[in-house]
Amino acid sequence: MPVPSVPEPFYWTNEAWGPALRCRALDPIAPHLFTSRALQLSSAEGRMAAAHAIGAAEAVMVTQVHGNGVVVVRRGEARPSAATAADVLVSDDPQVAVAVRAADCVPLLLGDRRTGAVAAVHAGWRGTAAGAAAAALQAMHREFSTDPADIVAAIGPSIGACCYEVGSELVDAFAAAGHARHLIDRWFVTRPPARGSRERSTLRLDVAGANRDQLILAGVPEERVHAAGMCTAEHLDVLTSFRAEKEKAGRLAGVIRARTT
Ligand SMILES: [Zn+2]
């Protein structure tokens, strides 16, 4: 299958199901990948295949609710149930892959180069407004003594500002959540209509960029935040998009596990 080109340090690999996206900067810290539309995550086999591809025996996924709630997976302790409501998973357990599913929302994978602890984050606009990425860093600090300065982050494919037209109520929601005006102005892009066009200007949200900024503001060094920068709605041969495909859309997963130390 032909795959779109991706910026350094991302690269495609060929898995049992087809293409997966990995990040070279995160490779030495934590086994991980982003799946493609070729993998059916709705089946237990599909979820298992994603876990196996990064050397884990099982994948832990929970019920995503577009918030900033965290679930902790700890070495030697019972796994959280799939019914647990959370959008952030943090783990130090090399036996299990922690995974988030997304169809346009941002899948974020974090690895601590010092301790090897990891996080998987699901951040759509609601999770981004709620600061899900920062919640992951706080939980890693609390549970595993992670210093944000040691984090390497891979931001997977999500809907781009090119295709994510939103209403002004989202701006209000970000303001109500306490984000600074200059950041909101950066994350919400107004595109004027083409000259002579009858179209109105449109408001768009750069949801991946907002997550990148939130990581950096929370102390992750800018040079260690890597974004795949690929719009899900424009690469439907490999990716999948709720905006573009509605109910038919599948899901992409961001999958990561702590390294064996
Ligand atoms: Zn796009």
Side-chain angles (χ1 to χ4, degrees), residues 160 162-163 231 233-234:
C162 43
C163 295
C231 175
E234 291 178 27

Side-chain angles (χ1 to χ4, degrees), residues 7-10 23-26 29 34 106-111 113 133 137 148-156 186 207-229:
E8 273 294 321
F10 288 88
C23 175
R24 262 185 205 98
L26 196 49
I29 297 156
F34 297 97
V106 180
L108 274 169
L109 299 177
L110 309 178
R113 55 187 201 152
L137 294 171
D150 289 319
I151 288 287
V152 173
I155 301 175
R186 193 150 99 180
V207 69
N211 279 280
R212 180 179 178 279
D213 284 352
Q214 289 181 13
L215 288 170
I216 293 166
L217 284 166
V220 180
E222 188 172 353
E223 66 274 17
R224 287 205 270 278
V225 180
H226 306 282

